Amino acid sequence: MAALPRRIIKETQRLMQEPVPGISAVPDDSNARYFHVIVTGPEDSPFEGGLFKLELFLPEDYPMSAPKVRFITKIYHPNIDRLGRICLDILKDKWSPALQIRTVLLSIQALLSAPNPDDPLANDVAELWKVNESEAIRNAKEWTRRYAMDN
Amino acid sequence: MFRFIASFFTKLIQMMLQVLSSKKHIIHNLLSIYVKTSGGQTVCLDIDPKCDVSHIKKLVAPQINLQPDELKIIFAGKELADDYVIEECDLGQQSILHVVKIKSPKLNEVFRCSTPKANLSPLTESLDYSTFSSEDENTEKPLERKAHFYVYCPNCKGLKQGKLRVRCHFCKSGAFTVHSDPQDWSHVLQPKQITGTCENDPEYCQELLQNCEPTFAEFYFKCSEHVSLGECDQAVPLDLIRPNLRHIPCLACLDVPETMFTFPCQKDHIACLDCFRSYCLSKLLERQFWQHPEHGYTLACPNGCLNSFIREIHHFRLLDDDNYDRYQRFATEEFVLRSGGLLCPQPGCGMGILAEPDCTRITCQQCKYVFCRNCLQGFHIGPCDPVEPSLDAQGNCDVDLNCPVVEDPSRTTIKVITKPCPSCKTPTERDGGCMHMICTRSGCQFHWCWVCQTEWTRECMADHWFA
Ligand SMILES: [Zn+2]
Ligand SMILES: [Zn+2]
Ligand SMILES: [Zn+2]
Ligand SMILES: [Zn+2]
Ligand SMILES: [Zn+2]
Ligand SMILES: [Zn+2]
Ligand SMILES: [Zn+2]
Ligand SMILES: [Zn+2]
């Protein structure tokens, strides 16, 4: 494997030294491009109290192309699908090398605080979120309790 | 046949002798140059680089029946002063100097007086990045770092250092002196920016001279890494590749490269050449290059800055040969698609085809595949088959995430199925289990459904989002 670019080393160091509040991102022992991420459910959101595991991978041409991120913990959210894939513009066409792992994680945290059912990735969830928000929030809390709390 | 082989060997031996003799030149420090007269005569000289210009005048004068003090020696847009030492210009082997007879001593004197002594040195020397960059030079001592121009050399087939040269805009003669130094790239790349005096004979320029009207300089570049092959041996200036005199870090890897690619956005967005290559490659593979009406198939600053398209597409020569071929193919295909054509869906073919709008039976001229225009499957009579949702690729994103080595051979066995984008008909592969397709072609970005092969709708989400 080619040497790790300085950019990745620097970003990793900064993530360890000044972690983003509510987020931990730790590189894998055997692969410095693969990060184990834990996001704390934001306060006053249906995800409050949950710990959500994600995986983040920096492709060979990072930062020319976006990191690949996925939720491992099941989550009831209109912008996150069954496979944990996230509908976030900066992970797709709005990606720019000026963005960082840190910005990506902050955006994901913000997405938990403010679900956007108008730009959905999870069909039924988005539909319910629009038609019956209180029931959707109840489901989200239930999933958080069931999948994101006991470990 | 034997004669051919024999002549080939003679040539080879000659070439080897040339190599040897040029080595000899290095040992003896001799420089082979040509001196060209305005009458078209060429004198070949072997000179000691430590000699000065007056010595050259003495050598040349008797051969063209003139006195040394009747001569002017011109190189790269500047008259060389008598005491100028040849070593100090960047003359390569077999460079061409121009010699002209001083026509009107009076006119000549005017120029001599108005031209400061420092300017009587060749352009390439007076014009480096310290003149081209508006930065404070005091802190940087730019003279200590050798400034370079970079070119794509069609002869060496690669990125090389280049030398700036100048000739008459009208008659293309190198017997030409500039009235002022170019200050930035626009002076060099755009025509008719810098005036000068043509010392050549053709009537047109002569007439301009007599009316005391100036003619214009035309700048061009030569590769500095191969022996000049004559006056038509030119290289393409890669003006966005520059020495990184201000130590700006690469926007991608944060290293501070010596040579940088400058994105044309005036925001100090630069990349090292490796990251630039990687940027081009990832955009190319996603067909994210943009077909610009003036500049061609090109890219903008990766940070999305406005009006930052790369104008000189020869910069993409930095890609390796295979990927440059791919770049050219994609550019042609993009042109075909924009002209209402379509691409052959056969794997490995992808030939661009222009067909009558109402013709649905398409035959590829290259691979002879006959296919249906609408579904890109083999040609059939009657309506296109509705394609059943395939289950082959479910959960592929897990593979993506966990195996950074994409070349894993087991992955190639996954059946690759492509379908045409319903809007532009570009064959598209599906990755992952999601049926929501977004055409990656930069000109299209149509949202469509893999199952219905029409625009992506809420019904698609409800019925068959995942495989
Ligand atoms: Zn060359
Ligand atoms: Zn001329
Ligand atoms: Zn770089
Ligand atoms: Zn920019
Ligand atoms: Zn074909
Ligand atoms: Zn068909
Ligand atoms: Zn398309
Ligand atoms: Zn559909």
Side-chain angles (χ1 to χ4, degrees), chain A residues 5 63-64, chain B residues 249-257 270-276:
Chain A
M64 288 311 187
Chain B
C250 166
L251 60 79
C253 68
L254 304 182
D255 283 344
V256 178
I270 71 116
C272 68
L273 299 187
D274 280 344
C275 289
F276 176 68

Side-chain angles (χ1 to χ4, degrees), chain B residues 153 155-156 160 223 225-226:
Chain B
C153 171
N155 186 58
C156 308
K160 299 289 166 193
C223 168
E225 288 173 44
H226 69 263

